[in-house]
Structure formats: structure tokens, C-alpha cells
Amino acid sequence: MSRHLQSISMWFPAACLALAACWPAGVATAQGASASSSVELARQADLLKPGQWVWAPQIAPRGPLLVFVDLSRQTATVYRNGVRIGVSTVSSGKAGHATPTGVFTILQKDAKHHSSTYHNAPMPYQQRLTWDGVALHAGGLPGYPESHGCVHLPYAFARELFAVTQYGTTVIVAGDAQHPVTSASGEVLSPTLSASPHPDDFWAPERSPDGPVTIVMSRSDQSLVVLRNGVEIGRSRAVLPNDNDSTHVLTLAVDAAGAPVWLYAAVSGHVDEAGQGVDETARNRVDIPPEFYKKAVSILSPGATLLVTQAPLSSGATGTPLTVMRDDATSSSND
């Protein structure tokens, strides 16, 4: 028996060393926290250090998910049915390999993915955002952007997120990892009904009959697109105030009376807005053609996402166009 125990005691450290050698360098494995309420989650989220996260899915047990990656703050926030249920630190693309900003949907999930580009490197709990290699996955978290374009998450947080997302879950990536700034507070949206139709306007919900809905409004283009399950199903002219370059993210929820309400997410420069509803003044500053507005409203349900951005939606506009969907089908990996 003693010889058997001795052999086990010799084998165990060797096995641990072998396992550690196979593990991605810098992956955070045990820096999580739980919370029992939205207030406690918010308090803990404000104190996160690199590699740490807080996870409280019981706060909103059901409903559509939204993942918001803030490159300026190097954080990822998870909303379910408009309620924040998790916040994590991340590491995004370093200089020369910047993580693209835009509205994405989860295209592929692979819990045991390995890179086809970087020497078969493990990418646990990979959730692909683009076919050319950008994904969410467990990875190194040094406290600054250091990936080749992917969004690195703490290992246990990546596992929890992987378990609750689905194909088509909306992921918004915004901010600037290399030049973080704090924007001035500004307007948001939800429409009044006086804008004139544009020749390029269209409505084709048959392109994607179901799935999560995301609306993207661009101040620079004065236009909006409607995505369902990552597919563009509508585009319209939209008159938006263009007096600042703030980014706003909202999710559609239901208030105590059962009425739909757009709630702000906590994005960089607007953390204090989190959970607040859009007021009538903000609504009245946005004009959308009446017929298009009626069609868009008809497909909205709790959990729908709204992004207001300064980035253009069209490739011919000034500035870097916002990614709203990817049609290429190249299955390479970039990280």
C-alpha cells in the first residue's frame, strides 16, 4: 500500500506539470465572483481587476442575450432580457491586429477549438464572430490588449458564457482599445415619424424569418439597418442629431406595467445611464419614415438590441465603416 501511495504521489505533480504545459499561457481560471442582486453585481463590476469577473445569471433567468464588448474599458458585459447578468475583464487585439468594431452574431461554437493558424494553439470555449477568425474564447489576460484580434476571456467566464449563448446571439463590439476616450453624454433614440423615404430603403423580413433583432443607427450616414439573426432585413433613412460622437447601446425590456421600454446599457462614458429608460425628449429627436417604423416595430420583442453610433454603415462614407454582418465563408482562424 505504501509503495502504491508513493507512486501516486510521484505521478500527481508530474501530471499537473504536464497539464500546465498544455494550458494557454496567461489564461485566468479562478478569479470569479457571484452576486445576488443587480446592485451587488454593479458594485463588484466596478472593482474588477485583469482576469476577474462577476457572474449572476439568476438575476434574469430567462430571455434573449446580448454581449457588449467595450474595447475602451477592456470589459465584456452580458445582458439577458435587458438586465445585466455578468461582467468580465477581457483582452482584445493589440496594435496591428485590432479587434473590429460592429454588430456581430455568434456563427459557430466549439468548446475544444484549436487554432489552424497559430500552431494548433488551444482556444477553449470559442464562439466565432467572423469567418476570417475573430472570436470570443478563453485566453491570456495581462491587463491590456494583446491578442491577434480575438476577444480573450477568463477561462471560467468563457465556459459560463458558452453555456448560455446560442447561434445568432448578438455581440456588439465598440470603443477604441488603443486610444480610449470618454465621450460626452448625448442623445439616444426611438423614433418620431416624419422622415422621408429614401430610394435605397428596403424591407425584406423573409431573408431571415426569425432570430434576435438588432437595430443599428448611424449619425454619420443618417440611416439605420435592421438585422435579424445577423442578416440585414431592412434599411432606412433616419434623421438623427449629429452633435456628438457618443456610442449608446440599449436593450428592449418590459416595465412593471408590462409596457415595452428601451433601457441603456453601461458603455464607456455612460456607465451612469445603465438601466435608465429612454425619455420622450430623446425619442422626439429621431425621425424615421412612418411605414418603415411600423414594420420594424412589428418584429421587436424583449431582448432586441439598439446601437447608436457615429460610425458609417456604408463603405463609401468617410471613416471606417461599422461591421454589421459578414457574408464570406472562409473558415480560417486568426488567433
mmCIF file of all heavy atoms in Angstrom, residues 168-199:
data_model
loop_
_atom_site.group_PDB
_atom_site.id
_atom_site.type_symbol
_atom_site.label_atom_id
_atom_site.label_comp_id
_atom_site.label_asym_id
_atom_site.label_seq_id
_atom_site.Cartn_x
_atom_site.Cartn_y
_atom_site.Cartn_z
ATOM 1 N N GLY A 168 -26.487 32.869 -33.287
ATOM 2 C CA GLY A 168 -27.301 34.037 -33.545
ATOM 3 C C GLY A 168 -27.353 35.028 -32.403
ATOM 4 O O GLY A 168 -27.891 36.115 -32.562
ATOM 5 N N THR A 169 -26.795 34.692 -31.236
ATOM 6 C CA THR A 169 -26.743 35.651 -30.142
ATOM 7 C C THR A 169 -25.993 36.900 -30.600
ATOM 8 O O THR A 169 -24.942 36.817 -31.226
ATOM 9 C CB THR A 169 -26.045 35.046 -28.910
ATOM 10 O OG1 THR A 169 -26.851 33.995 -28.377
ATOM 11 C CG2 THR A 169 -25.832 36.088 -27.820
ATOM 12 N N THR A 170 -26.531 38.073 -30.274
ATOM 13 C CA THR A 170 -25.931 39.333 -30.709
ATOM 14 C C THR A 170 -24.726 39.693 -29.843
ATOM 15 O O THR A 170 -24.790 39.643 -28.616
ATOM 16 C CB THR A 170 -26.951 40.470 -30.645
ATOM 17 O OG1 THR A 170 -28.052 40.166 -31.513
ATOM 18 C CG2 THR A 170 -26.332 41.803 -31.077
ATOM 19 N N VAL A 171 -23.632 40.074 -30.514
ATOM 20 C CA VAL A 171 -22.423 40.550 -29.837
ATOM 21 C C VAL A 171 -22.066 41.908 -30.437
ATOM 22 O O VAL A 171 -21.832 42.012 -31.640
ATOM 23 C CB VAL A 171 -21.248 39.578 -30.010
ATOM 24 C CG1 VAL A 171 -20.001 40.118 -29.306
ATOM 25 C CG2 VAL A 171 -21.603 38.187 -29.476
ATOM 26 N N ILE A 172 -22.041 42.948 -29.618
ATOM 27 C CA ILE A 172 -21.660 44.283 -30.061
ATOM 28 C C ILE A 172 -20.262 44.578 -29.557
ATOM 29 O O ILE A 172 -19.960 44.400 -28.368
ATOM 30 C CB ILE A 172 -22.646 45.340 -29.544
ATOM 31 C CG1 ILE A 172 -24.024 45.145 -30.193
ATOM 32 C CG2 ILE A 172 -22.135 46.755 -29.827
ATOM 33 C CD1 ILE A 172 -25.083 46.090 -29.680
ATOM 34 N N VAL A 173 -19.387 45.006 -30.469
ATOM 35 C CA VAL A 173 -18.024 45.388 -30.112
ATOM 36 C C VAL A 173 -17.873 46.869 -30.440
ATOM 37 O O VAL A 173 -18.082 47.282 -31.585
ATOM 38 C CB VAL A 173 -16.973 44.568 -30.883
ATOM 39 C CG1 VAL A 173 -15.565 44.969 -30.445
ATOM 40 C CG2 VAL A 173 -17.199 43.066 -30.676
ATOM 41 N N ALA A 174 -17.524 47.669 -29.444
ATOM 42 C CA ALA A 174 -17.416 49.119 -29.635
ATOM 43 C C ALA A 174 -16.243 49.653 -28.836
ATOM 44 O O ALA A 174 -15.675 48.969 -27.981
ATOM 45 C CB ALA A 174 -18.713 49.814 -29.211
ATOM 46 N N GLY A 175 -15.864 50.901 -29.125
ATOM 47 C CA GLY A 175 -14.782 51.542 -28.399
ATOM 48 C C GLY A 175 -13.474 51.506 -29.160
ATOM 49 O O GLY A 175 -13.401 51.092 -30.317
ATOM 50 N N ASP A 176 -12.404 51.930 -28.499
ATOM 51 C CA ASP A 176 -11.081 52.024 -29.110
ATOM 52 C C ASP A 176 -10.052 51.573 -28.092
ATOM 53 O O ASP A 176 -9.770 52.285 -27.121
ATOM 54 C CB ASP A 176 -10.819 53.462 -29.556
ATOM 55 C CG ASP A 176 -9.510 53.621 -30.322
ATOM 56 O OD1 ASP A 176 -8.666 52.712 -30.252
ATOM 57 O OD2 ASP A 176 -9.343 54.660 -30.974
ATOM 58 N N ALA A 177 -9.482 50.391 -28.304
ATOM 59 C CA ALA A 177 -8.539 49.840 -27.335
ATOM 60 C C ALA A 177 -7.240 50.627 -27.281
ATOM 61 O O ALA A 177 -6.586 50.705 -26.240
ATOM 62 C CB ALA A 177 -8.241 48.377 -27.674
ATOM 63 N N GLN A 178 -6.836 51.217 -28.404
ATOM 64 C CA GLN A 178 -5.555 51.911 -28.458
ATOM 65 C C GLN A 178 -5.638 53.356 -27.970
ATOM 66 O O GLN A 178 -4.679 53.913 -27.471
ATOM 67 C CB GLN A 178 -5.017 51.890 -29.898
ATOM 68 C CG GLN A 178 -4.931 50.506 -30.499
ATOM 69 C CD GLN A 178 -4.121 49.531 -29.654
ATOM 70 O OE1 GLN A 178 -3.099 49.912 -29.073
ATOM 71 N NE2 GLN A 178 -4.575 48.293 -29.551
ATOM 72 N N HIS A 179 -6.812 53.981 -28.150
ATOM 73 C CA HIS A 179 -6.984 55.377 -27.756
ATOM 74 C C HIS A 179 -8.301 55.536 -27.004
ATOM 75 O O HIS A 179 -9.250 56.133 -27.511
ATOM 76 C CB HIS A 179 -6.965 56.298 -28.973
ATOM 77 C CG HIS A 179 -5.753 56.139 -29.815
ATOM 78 N ND1 HIS A 179 -5.708 55.307 -30.905
ATOM 79 C CD2 HIS A 179 -4.524 56.691 -29.697
ATOM 80 C CE1 HIS A 179 -4.494 55.359 -31.449
ATOM 81 N NE2 HIS A 179 -3.763 56.187 -30.736
ATOM 82 N N PRO A 180 -8.417 54.977 -25.802
ATOM 83 C CA PRO A 180 -9.677 55.070 -25.060
ATOM 84 C C PRO A 180 -9.997 56.518 -24.719
ATOM 85 O O PRO A 180 -9.131 57.290 -24.334
ATOM 86 C CB PRO A 180 -9.402 54.245 -23.792
ATOM 87 C CG PRO A 180 -7.915 54.224 -23.664
ATOM 88 C CD PRO A 180 -7.373 54.247 -25.058
ATOM 89 N N VAL A 181 -11.266 56.869 -24.900
ATOM 90 C CA VAL A 181 -11.718 58.215 -24.580
ATOM 91 C C VAL A 181 -13.036 58.118 -23.844
ATOM 92 O O VAL A 181 -13.742 57.122 -23.920
ATOM 93 C CB VAL A 181 -11.906 59.068 -25.857
ATOM 94 C CG1 VAL A 181 -10.588 59.287 -26.550
ATOM 95 C CG2 VAL A 181 -12.914 58.432 -26.805
ATOM 96 N N THR A 182 -13.372 59.164 -23.151
ATOM 97 C CA THR A 182 -14.667 59.269 -22.506
ATOM 98 C C THR A 182 -15.516 60.243 -23.296
ATOM 99 O O THR A 182 -15.162 61.411 -23.430
ATOM 100 C CB THR A 182 -14.528 59.760 -21.054
ATOM 101 O OG1 THR A 182 -13.715 58.831 -20.332
ATOM 102 C CG2 THR A 182 -15.877 59.878 -20.383
ATOM 103 N N SER A 183 -16.619 59.771 -23.829
ATOM 104 C CA SER A 183 -17.470 60.619 -24.652
ATOM 105 C C SER A 183 -18.414 61.438 -23.786
ATOM 106 O O SER A 183 -18.774 61.044 -22.679
ATOM 107 C CB SER A 183 -18.294 59.764 -25.623
ATOM 108 O OG SER A 183 -17.449 59.000 -26.457
ATOM 109 N N ALA A 184 -18.817 62.560 -24.331
ATOM 110 C CA ALA A 184 -19.818 63.366 -23.642
ATOM 111 C C ALA A 184 -21.166 62.675 -23.742
ATOM 112 O O ALA A 184 -21.452 61.965 -24.698
ATOM 113 C CB ALA A 184 -19.891 64.745 -24.279
ATOM 114 N N SER A 185 -21.997 62.866 -22.741
ATOM 115 C CA SER A 185 -23.322 62.260 -22.812
ATOM 116 C C SER A 185 -24.108 62.921 -23.931
ATOM 117 O O SER A 185 -23.909 64.078 -24.264
ATOM 118 C CB SER A 185 -24.048 62.429 -21.475
ATOM 119 O OG SER A 185 -24.165 63.798 -21.161
ATOM 120 N N GLY A 186 -25.029 62.173 -24.529
ATOM 121 C CA GLY A 186 -25.750 62.725 -25.677
ATOM 122 C C GLY A 186 -27.089 62.054 -25.844
ATOM 123 O O GLY A 186 -27.588 61.373 -24.968
ATOM 124 N N GLU A 187 -27.636 62.233 -27.019
ATOM 125 C CA GLU A 187 -28.967 61.724 -27.291
ATOM 126 C C GLU A 187 -28.969 60.217 -27.509
ATOM 127 O O GLU A 187 -27.956 59.599 -27.679
ATOM 128 C CB GLU A 187 -29.545 62.412 -28.528
ATOM 129 C CG GLU A 187 -29.256 61.729 -29.843
ATOM 130 C CD GLU A 187 -27.783 61.726 -30.196
ATOM 131 O OE1 GLU A 187 -27.041 62.598 -29.746
ATOM 132 O OE2 GLU A 187 -27.381 60.804 -30.895
ATOM 133 N N VAL A 188 -30.126 59.634 -27.486
ATOM 134 C CA VAL A 188 -30.315 58.263 -27.904
ATOM 135 C C VAL A 188 -31.462 58.283 -28.860
ATOM 136 O O VAL A 188 -31.681 59.255 -29.544
ATOM 137 C CB VAL A 188 -30.643 57.350 -26.724
ATOM 138 C CG1 VAL A 188 -30.243 55.938 -27.044
ATOM 139 C CG2 VAL A 188 -29.953 57.836 -25.512
ATOM 140 N N LEU A 189 -32.214 57.193 -28.887
ATOM 141 C CA LEU A 189 -33.194 57.190 -29.922
ATOM 142 C C LEU A 189 -34.511 56.646 -29.454
ATOM 143 O O LEU A 189 -34.724 56.358 -28.308
ATOM 144 C CB LEU A 189 -32.696 56.332 -31.055
ATOM 145 C CG LEU A 189 -32.823 54.853 -30.887
ATOM 146 C CD1 LEU A 189 -34.188 54.323 -30.931
ATOM 147 C CD2 LEU A 189 -32.028 54.262 -31.986
ATOM 148 N N SER A 190 -35.249 56.368 -30.384
ATOM 149 C CA SER A 190 -36.565 55.791 -30.531
ATOM 150 C C SER A 190 -37.358 56.872 -31.194
ATOM 151 O O SER A 190 -37.219 58.037 -30.866
ATOM 152 C CB SER A 190 -37.201 55.320 -29.261
ATOM 153 O OG SER A 190 -37.495 53.956 -29.393
ATOM 154 N N PRO A 191 -38.154 56.492 -32.176
ATOM 155 C CA PRO A 191 -38.448 57.417 -33.260
ATOM 156 C C PRO A 191 -39.739 58.208 -33.159
ATOM 157 O O PRO A 191 -40.694 57.809 -32.534
ATOM 158 C CB PRO A 191 -38.522 56.494 -34.461
ATOM 159 C CG PRO A 191 -38.945 55.199 -33.892
ATOM 160 C CD PRO A 191 -38.471 55.134 -32.476
ATOM 161 N N THR A 192 -39.701 59.365 -33.841
ATOM 162 C CA THR A 192 -40.919 60.033 -34.258
ATOM 163 C C THR A 192 -41.073 59.717 -35.737
ATOM 164 O O THR A 192 -40.292 58.943 -36.274
ATOM 165 C CB THR A 192 -40.816 61.548 -34.021
ATOM 166 O OG1 THR A 192 -39.659 62.024 -34.693
ATOM 167 C CG2 THR A 192 -40.691 61.857 -32.544
ATOM 168 N N LEU A 193 -42.022 60.294 -36.411
ATOM 169 C CA LEU A 193 -42.426 59.716 -37.691
ATOM 170 C C LEU A 193 -42.525 60.706 -38.848
ATOM 171 O O LEU A 193 -43.508 60.746 -39.556
ATOM 172 C CB LEU A 193 -43.789 59.033 -37.516
ATOM 173 C CG LEU A 193 -43.870 57.986 -36.405
ATOM 174 C CD1 LEU A 193 -45.291 57.502 -36.246
ATOM 175 C CD2 LEU A 193 -42.948 56.833 -36.695
ATOM 176 N N SER A 194 -41.477 61.505 -39.087
ATOM 177 C CA SER A 194 -41.608 62.498 -40.136
ATOM 178 C C SER A 194 -40.595 62.387 -41.270
ATOM 179 O O SER A 194 -40.708 63.085 -42.259
ATOM 180 C CB SER A 194 -41.486 63.908 -39.531
ATOM 181 O OG SER A 194 -40.225 64.063 -38.913
ATOM 182 N N ALA A 195 -39.571 61.550 -41.153
ATOM 183 C CA ALA A 195 -38.533 61.481 -42.181
ATOM 184 C C ALA A 195 -39.095 60.934 -43.492
ATOM 185 O O ALA A 195 -40.004 60.112 -43.514
ATOM 186 C CB ALA A 195 -37.388 60.594 -41.707
ATOM 187 N N SER A 196 -38.520 61.396 -44.596
ATOM 188 C CA SER A 196 -38.967 60.953 -45.912
ATOM 189 C C SER A 196 -38.251 59.667 -46.315
ATOM 190 O O SER A 196 -37.082 59.471 -45.989
ATOM 191 C CB SER A 196 -38.673 62.037 -46.960
ATOM 192 O OG SER A 196 -39.335 63.228 -46.628
ATOM 193 N N PRO A 197 -38.915 58.770 -47.061
ATOM 194 C CA PRO A 197 -38.257 57.549 -47.532
ATOM 195 C C PRO A 197 -37.110 57.876 -48.480
ATOM 196 O O PRO A 197 -37.064 58.930 -49.109
ATOM 197 C CB PRO A 197 -39.381 56.809 -48.273
ATOM 198 C CG PRO A 197 -40.641 57.387 -47.726
ATOM 199 C CD PRO A 197 -40.336 58.823 -47.413
ATOM 200 N N HIS A 198 -36.163 56.954 -48.589
ATOM 201 C CA HIS A 198 -35.006 57.094 -49.470
ATOM 202 C C HIS A 198 -35.079 55.994 -50.525
ATOM 203 O O HIS A 198 -35.579 54.895 -50.244
ATOM 204 C CB HIS A 198 -33.715 56.975 -48.652
ATOM 205 C CG HIS A 198 -32.488 57.280 -49.420
ATOM 206 N ND1 HIS A 198 -31.811 56.321 -50.141
ATOM 207 C CD2 HIS A 198 -31.803 58.436 -49.580
ATOM 208 C CE1 HIS A 198 -30.753 56.884 -50.721
ATOM 209 N NE2 HIS A 198 -30.727 58.159 -50.397
ATOM 210 N N PRO A 199 -34.575 56.247 -51.749
ATOM 211 C CA PRO A 199 -34.660 55.221 -52.804
ATOM 212 C C PRO A 199 -34.009 53.886 -52.442
ATOM 213 O O PRO A 199 -34.402 52.837 -52.950
ATOM 214 C CB PRO A 199 -33.930 55.880 -53.984
ATOM 215 C CG PRO A 199 -34.085 57.341 -53.749
ATOM 216 C CD PRO A 199 -34.057 57.534 -52.254
#
